[in-house]
Amino acid sequence: MTSSYKWEKEQKRRLQYFLSDLAILGSLQGFRYFQPWLRGREELLLTIVNEDLGWQSPGFPVSVASSFSSTTAGSSSSSDACSPLSGVQPTQGPPQQASSNNEAHLLPASPSEREIAVPEINCTLFLLAGYAKYGRPYAWIRSNHERLVNIGGTDSMVRDTPMKLKSITDWGSQGTRVWDVVSELVCLCTIPPPANPFSLDIRYLQTLPLSERFLVSGALINFLEMLVVQCSQEEPFYSKVVEEVDSLRRLHVQALWEVQRLRSEALTVEQGPPEEQ
């Protein structure tokens, strides 16, 4: 068995793990800074908040609402963050020009010009995918391109150039997981960058019907516990996620008690009062 065959087999195994993570994340709701939407086996759409306007529950699905790009957010992100397409650290001034490189041909299966999903107000849409033909994950900006980088026109090839992310670059050496990419995208897009990219919208979760609240909170606990177990404790958001899991677990247990109480009451009513001897 040659070393190249072993390497290829390992990359396929990593990609399968990534796609499994993608499917799990795509089934969740209730995050404060982003909302995932699974689209097929290999694609995930991420709607990410542009500006943290305080504790205003997004609780948003990917919908047909009009997109909105904040001028203030655009000027701040372009001057402070690394250009996600060119990989060049910009100085104070206008967004950097996206450069042509050997990744320009790595087009997504669904080009941005045919994108039907539109983000909510104060949000940017991203596509995260793990295509088997590329053998590794990539991320593309799907809306508000000019907010993050000067794409130099509307050429579809340029607009569909994958983003240069550290988490994607580390794929070959470290085996990137889906939360690595999501946390980097949130910190790149949201102003100011949140201390915990996986912070939950507890207010939104509390408004869900009881049975849905029980299921949603349980699914979130499963994902966040997997993140805590498998990601590095050196991650800056690690302790924040642990705290989030604790508060979420309390919400989940409370929902469980209420579900059990209602079932017990329903069973009592169904059986009727005990017969007198």
Side-chain angles (χ1 to χ4, degrees):
M1 185 179 295
T2 64
S3 58
S4 60
Y5 175 80
K6 290 182 179 179
W7 182 86
E8 182 179 351
K9 186 176 181 179
E10 175 63 17
Q11 295 305 303
K12 288 182 178 179
R13 185 184 67 84
R14 287 182 177 180
L15 186 60
Q16 290 306 311
Y17 275 124
F18 187 87
L19 293 176
S20 177
D21 293 342
L22 210 66
I24 294 174
L25 180 61
S27 67
L28 303 178
Q29 58 178 303
F31 293 102
R32 180 179 178 183
Y33 297 108
F34 68 92
Q35 175 62 35
W37 178 29
L38 189 65
R39 187 167 67 180
R41 181 175 179 273
E42 298 178 318
E43 292 186 341
L44 179 80
L45 287 175
L46 276 177
T47 304
I48 300 181
V49 172
N50 293 340
E51 289 184 275
D52 186 1
L53 303 177
W55 191 255
Q56 293 184 0
S57 302
F60 46 78
V62 174
S63 73
V64 293
S66 299
S67 62
F68 173 79
S69 177
S70 169
T71 303
T72 303
S75 60
S76 300
S77 63
S78 62
S79 61
D80 296 338
C82 179
S83 172
L85 295 185
S86 64
V88 177
Q89 181 69 32
T91 57
Q92 294 293 329
Q96 294 294 303
Q97 183 81 12
S99 62
S100 299
N101 51 54
N102 57 2
E103 291 189 337
H105 67 284
L106 298 176
L107 302 177
S110 49
S112 61
E113 62 184 11
R114 297 206 301 266
E115 182 60 70
I116 60 174
V118 182
E120 293 283 351
I121 292 175
N122 189 38
C123 297
T124 297
L125 188 66
F126 296 86
L127 172 65
L128 178 57
Y131 299 127
K133 64 179 180 179
Y134 295 151
R136 60 186 299 162
Y138 284 102
W140 292 265
I141 307 173
R142 305 299 277 184
S143 71
N144 299 338
H145 293 74
E146 295 79 4
R147 178 177 178 270
L148 297 175
V149 64
N150 186 345
I151 61 174
T154 58
D155 183 82
S156 60
M157 183 71 76
V158 177
R159 297 179 72 89
D160 284 327
T161 298
M163 302 176 69
K164 284 187 173 295
L165 302 175
K166 181 182 182 301
S167 54
I168 299 297
T169 303
D170 291 343
W171 169 262
S173 59
Q174 300 182 22
T176 300
R177 301 298 292 265
V178 69
W179 47 77
D180 298 319
V181 184
V182 171
S183 63
E184 186 173 0
L185 286 175
V186 171
C187 291
L188 173 69
C189 182
T190 305
I191 297 175
N196 178 16
F198 301 96
S199 178
L200 299 174
D201 187 346
I202 297 297
R203 291 186 181 182
Y204 167 70
L205 295 176
Q206 291 173 335
T207 64
L208 295 175
L210 179 59
S211 58
E212 187 175 353
R213 189 191 323 151
F214 172 68
L215 294 174
V216 169
S217 59
L220 285 169
I221 289 173
N222 177 68
F223 174 77
L224 293 179
E225 286 184 340
M226 180 173 64
L227 187 158
V228 168
V229 170
Q230 299 188 26
C231 83
S232 170
Q233 296 186 18
E234 301 301 319
E235 292 287 354
F237 56 78
Y238 182 86
S239 60
K240 298 291 185 181
V241 173
V242 172
E243 295 174 5
E244 202 80 60
V245 171
D246 289 339
S247 60
L248 182 61
R249 190 177 288 115
R250 288 192 292 271
L251 177 68
H252 181 66
V253 170
Q254 182 183 17
L256 173 61
W257 287 345
E258 293 184 30
V259 168
Q260 291 177 333
R261 179 180 61 81
L262 292 176
R263 286 182 177 177
S264 178
E265 292 177 355
L267 184 60
T268 300
V269 171
E270 182 180 338
Q271 292 177 344
E275 297 181 0
E276 296 183 0
Q277 297 294 333

